[in-house]
């Protein structure tokens, strides 16, 4: 369970980290100018716009940890760019970036240690190494859950300029922001990391030594299931009174 869930969680968290769909929003933009740049671009993509008429476009905005995108609905007009400005400088976004990067590093290290500790090609695992790998994977899952929680809790306020800074925000269309698909990938991957790491951490308890049925005081080897201190040639008889 741990060997399967831990890499799967790592892939999901990595996918969430590199995709720009942590939050998304829609805004309606009215075009009244006949010679506007956006109008000309839509004409070039085969979308007819009548001159002098008022047209409404639906803009789709999406933000991630390292990339933002803007797309016009029902068209091929899409532009992506690295995050910048107030959104990039927001301390909560910087915190989420650091936590996700640390989580990816810890999870990768934990998976390597778990593979070394499990040792599927041998009879006995290295329980301490496997448990250490599981602990790192659990810590990675908790860090990514913390990053996702901070981002989701402040989703609508990240990078927003306050009116007290003297910037007129009425020039820009209102954007209704909501959680996007990358967040769900991150939540699922983080939960899988916690489950997989816990399975590795608690799944390699030291087994109790079995005893030989005829000689209870002698331990039984867990590998060959035979009495450890009795020679194979020795005949053992059970005597009852």
């Amino acid at each position: 369970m741990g060997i399967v869930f831990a890499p799967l969680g790592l892939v999901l968290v990595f996918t969430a980290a590199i995709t720009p769909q942590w939050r998304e929003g829609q805004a309606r933009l009215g075009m009244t100018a006949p010679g506007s740049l956006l109008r000309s671009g839509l004409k070039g993509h085969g979308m007819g716009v009548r001159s002098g008429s008022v047209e409404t476009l639906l803009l789709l905005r999406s933000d991630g940890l390292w990339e933002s995108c803007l797309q016009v609905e029902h068209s091929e007009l899409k532009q992506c760019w690295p995050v910048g400005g107030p959104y990039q400088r927001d301390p909560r976004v910087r915190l989420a970036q650091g936590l996700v990067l640390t989580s990816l590093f810890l999870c990768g290290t934990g998976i390597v240690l778990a593979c070394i500790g499990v040792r599927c090609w041998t009879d006995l695992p290295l329980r301490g190494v496997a448990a250490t790998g599981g602990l790192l994977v659990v810590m990675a899952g908790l860090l990514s859950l913390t990053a996702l929680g901070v981002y989701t809790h402040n989703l609508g306020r990240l990078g927003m300029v306050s009116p007290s800074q003297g910037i007129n925000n009425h020039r820009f269309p209102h954007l209704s922001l909501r959680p996007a698909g990358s967040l769900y990938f991150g939540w699922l991957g983080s939960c899988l990391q916690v489950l997989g790491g816990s399975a590795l951490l608690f799944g390699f308890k030291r087994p109790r030594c079995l005893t030989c049925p005829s000689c209870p005081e002698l331990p039984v080897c867990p590998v060959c299931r035979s009495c450890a201190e009795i020679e194979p040639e020795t005949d053992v008889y059970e005597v009852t009174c």
Side-chain angles (χ1 to χ4, degrees), residues 166-180:
I167 297 180
N168 184 15
N169 293 329
H170 298 287
R171 296 173 54 191
F172 303 97
H174 177 69
L175 208 62
S176 57
L177 298 172
R178 63 180 184 274

Side-chain angles (χ1 to χ4, degrees), residues 10 103-116 132-133 136-137:
L10 176 64
S103 170
L104 293 174
F105 175 76
L106 288 180
C107 188
T109 305
I111 291 174
V112 173
L113 290 178
C115 293
I116 296 174
T132 304
L136 292 180
V137 175

